[in-house]
Amino acid sequence: MTPAPLVIPPLQVPLLQVLLLLVPLLLPFAAPPLARRILDRCPPVAALWTLTASALLLAGGTVAALGTLALTGLLKIPAFAALGELTHPLRTPSAHLTLPLAALAAGLLTVGALTLGRSVLRQVTGFRAARSEADRRPAAGDLCVVDSPHPDAYALPGRPGRIVVTTGMLRSLDAAEREALFAHERAHNAGRHHYFLAAAELTAHCHPALRPVRAAIRLAAERAADEAAAGAVGDRRLTARAIARAALASSAPSPHPSVLPGVATGPVPHRVTALLSPVPPRARTWIAALLTTCALLSCATAVTVALQVHENIEIAQGETTD
């Protein structure tokens, strides 16, 4: 007589699911110190890609974990269980634990969605205003000069991409420094850095620990543009001087949205010091690998538990049997 095959249920310890969902919520706290080390010890372009990809994975793991917790708690409520067509009780820990955690998760998701929506509205409004102002001005190639005493310069993506600079900024720099400034902003458009900044803004609303990573991504984008500008003009000292003078001139906050990269963004002394350093940073791949591993572990854990919860819901619906 052939023995019956051993059937392993998807997860017999529901409490383990809750504990595993804490992993994607805790791992982002390791990102800020790693991000600072990556900025100091990796080339700017590599740091920009590593930080952005890792932040997106950590944010995705956070949202998936919170969503799974919220859904599990909702299905413990009879009205939502009926909507979900559950014919059997959903296998979860005690309702005294599940419901408060689900309420907290739902609240965090709601707050994050509201702040993200407000940020998107502000960024889109600012971008449209900047684009409208640039389109009304005559352009010399990709350069658009705005008559304003406030020194400012930023890269405006689109078709065509523009370099927007005010007359106040032009008066603050000499001819050679202006060329370094233009090369810096062109590097932003060529590298599509606005996409990285938009991703950084998105992730910062998914987990509070990713807000310092947003600042690190912005700095990495500026450092990448600094290095590209130094290569274009062939003078690192000139580029550093142009950045320092532009930052000193534009002491007031810039009115353009934060997803539009500008020459005076980020900690300027750090950028100037890096440009004046005769030795470029050596790539420390183990730091980037550590952050990437944390991000992948966060996302993989959240997805695995979400799939297990989905199987438990199918069992409760009577679609699958142990």
Side-chain angles (χ1 to χ4, degrees):
M1 182 176 180
T2 304
L6 177 63
V7 178
I8 302 177
L11 190 62
Q12 288 290 352
V13 186
L15 182 59
L16 181 59
Q17 295 179 345
V18 175
L19 295 177
L20 286 176
L21 286 176
L22 295 178
V23 173
L25 302 179
L26 295 177
L27 278 177
F29 288 102
L34 290 175
R36 289 191 292 269
R37 294 174 70 87
I38 287 174
L39 279 174
D40 292 335
R41 305 188 182 190
C42 290
V45 175
L48 180 60
W49 279 96
T50 301
L51 292 174
T52 306
S54 298
L56 286 171
L57 287 172
L58 289 168
T62 297
V63 173
L66 291 176
T68 302
L69 280 172
L71 177 61
T72 302
L74 284 176
L75 292 178
K76 293 293 289 184
I77 301 173
F80 287 98
L83 287 176
E85 300 180 349
L86 302 188
T87 59
H88 306 290
L90 181 64
R91 190 194 304 268
T92 64
S94 168
H96 296 293
L97 174 65
T98 304
L99 293 179
L101 287 178
L104 178 60
L108 292 174
L109 286 173
T110 302
V111 171
L114 289 176
T115 58
L116 176 60
R118 186 170 53 193
S119 174
V120 169
L121 180 61
R122 183 174 62 251
Q123 299 290 341
V124 170
T125 301
F127 175 79
R128 287 179 175 176
R131 191 77 211 184
S132 177
E133 183 180 36
D135 289 341
R136 291 195 304 266
R137 310 282 178 174
D142 63 347
L143 182 62
C144 176
V145 179
V146 176
D147 186 13
S148 171
H150 171 65
D152 194 14
Y154 57 91
L156 183 62
R159 296 183 180 179
R162 296 284 183 86
I163 305 303
V164 180
V165 59
T166 64
T167 52
M169 179 63 79
L170 293 177
R171 286 193 291 265
S172 302
L173 307 176
D174 61 31
E177 291 166 349
R178 292 173 192 167
E179 290 304 317
L181 171 71
F182 299 155
H184 174 95
E185 302 301 347
R186 289 190 179 103
H188 279 311
N189 277 341
R192 301 291 190 268
H193 291 167
H194 55 284
Y195 289 126
F196 295 92
L197 299 184
E201 187 68 22
L202 168 66
T203 60
H205 294 279
C206 296
H207 197 292
L210 296 179
R211 292 171 189 169
V213 181
R214 172 179 58 184
I217 292 173
R218 289 176 178 172
L219 177 56
E222 293 304 322
R223 284 283 299 115
D226 292 343
E227 293 296 332
V233 301
D235 190 335
R236 297 178 66 85
R237 185 170 293 276
L238 168 63
T239 305
R241 188 173 72 245
I243 292 169
R245 292 191 62 182
L248 288 173
S250 57
S251 56
S254 177
H256 65 76
S258 60
V259 295
L260 299 182
V263 69
T265 303
V268 174
H270 179 97
R271 294 166 54 195
V272 171
T273 301
L275 280 170
L276 295 179
S277 174
V279 180
R282 295 179 58 188
R284 304 292 180 91
T285 56
W286 70 267
I287 302 177
L290 181 58
L291 179 59
T292 304
T293 300
C294 290
L296 290 173
L297 178 61
S298 169
C299 210
T301 303
V303 171
T304 300
V305 177
L307 291 175
Q308 293 288 352
V309 170
H310 176 69
E311 291 183 13
N312 289 345
I313 292 173
E314 287 186 337
I315 293 173
Q317 290 173 332
E319 297 179 9
T320 308
T321 56
D322 288 344

